[in-house]
Amino acid sequence: MSQAKLLILSSPYKLQIIFLSLGIILVILGLILRGNNHSTSNQSQEVLGNSTVENSPESSASLKIEIDVSGEVVNPGVYELDFGSRVEDALQKAGGITDNADKNWVDKNINKAAKLTDGQKIYIPSLQQSNNDIASSNEQNSSVAQSESGQININTASLGELESLEGIGQVYGQKIIDNRPYSAVEELLSKSVLKQSEYNKIKDRLIVY
């Protein structure tokens, strides 16, 4: 038996020495295992990072959308644009709006800075179409007002509405329109638009406001 072993076995502190040696061995083993785990963790993170990059979706810059541009534009049609494009981009793609377009309507209703979505439709009306829509809307409103009150406004009524009155044909109806505006129903007499007999038949159905 070696001198060192004999010295340990004969020492009164042999148990302390043994435990101290075991402690040192355990510390060394712990450091070795910790180093291996840290290396494995770094490798896993690197692999995960590479996988995330490889599996990332296609960037939005390369995506395309299709937009239908019609109405008063130079070249109506369906156009392919980049994802994130604006209404102005679609109008330019279609050659811009024509001289017949209702530019006031466009300024009020079209937000050229708005982002487009796939399948969106952009329609530009003509000035004539806008005027026709307004006239039709006014006529409908007038008809609704007439049906609700049972009376006809001689300042706004159409020729057809005036002709619906008893004794009023196209001639008298047009004469009423030509002498507008009226501040009172009685002006149909003072302006010599109607005779007293015709006026008496319809006066209760007439209003001016």
Side-chain angles (χ1 to χ4, degrees):
M1 189 176 292
S2 66
Q3 186 177 359
K5 291 181 178 180
L6 289 174
L7 180 61
I8 294 173
L9 292 175
S10 63
S11 172
Y13 303 104
K14 60 182 179 180
L15 290 176
Q16 290 88 337
I17 294 173
I18 292 172
F19 286 133
L20 179 62
S21 299
L22 289 173
I24 293 173
I25 293 172
L26 290 174
V27 169
I28 294 173
L29 288 175
L31 292 174
I32 293 173
L33 291 174
R34 182 179 178 183
N36 290 337
N37 289 337
H38 181 69
S39 176
T40 303
S41 176
N42 287 341
Q43 291 177 357
S44 298
Q45 291 178 0
E46 183 177 356
V47 171
L48 179 60
N50 291 338
S51 176
T52 301
V53 172
E54 291 175 359
N55 295 329
S56 61
E58 188 178 8
S59 65
S60 60
S62 61
L63 295 177
K64 299 293 183 180
I65 57 176
E66 292 191 352
I67 307 299
D68 182 4
V69 187
S70 59
E72 289 299 328
V73 291
V74 177
N75 297 306
V78 176
Y79 292 95
E80 185 179 78
L81 291 94
D82 294 330
F83 179 83
S85 295
R86 311 278 177 164
V87 171
E88 176 66 15
D89 299 323
L91 292 176
Q92 290 182 358
K93 195 83 171 180
I97 62 177
T98 68
D99 293 336
N100 295 326
D102 185 350
K103 296 179 177 59
N104 288 332
W105 185 94
V106 171
D107 292 339
K108 291 178 181 179
N109 297 280
I110 297 293
N111 181 5
K112 296 180 181 180
K115 284 188 176 181
L116 296 167
T117 57
D118 186 44
Q120 184 174 341
K121 181 179 181 65
I122 301 174
Y123 181 81
I124 306 298
S126 67
L127 183 59
Q128 181 180 359
Q129 180 182 355
S130 295
N131 290 337
N132 290 341
D133 289 344
I134 292 173
S136 176
S137 177
N138 290 338
E139 185 174 347
Q140 289 177 359
N141 292 336
S142 177
S143 298
V144 170
Q146 178 185 346
S147 62
E148 291 178 349
S149 65
Q151 295 178 306
I152 292 178
N153 188 329
I154 56 177
N155 281 321
T156 60
S158 66
L159 180 59
E161 290 170 338
L162 293 172
E163 288 179 349
S164 68
L165 295 167
E166 182 183 357
I168 303 299
Q170 183 176 1
V171 175
Y172 276 130
Q174 188 61 50
K175 197 172 181 180
I176 292 174
I177 292 174
D178 292 341
N179 283 274
R180 289 172 178 171
Y182 303 94
S183 58
V185 174
E186 291 76 14
E187 288 186 4
L188 291 173
L189 292 175
S190 61
K191 291 184 177 183
S192 300
V193 177
L194 297 177
K195 295 179 181 180
Q196 185 71 52
S197 58
E198 282 81 15
Y199 174 77
N200 290 337
K201 294 176 183 178
I202 63 173
K203 64 179 181 179
D204 293 334
R205 292 194 58 193
L206 305 180
I207 57 174
V208 293
Y209 299 112

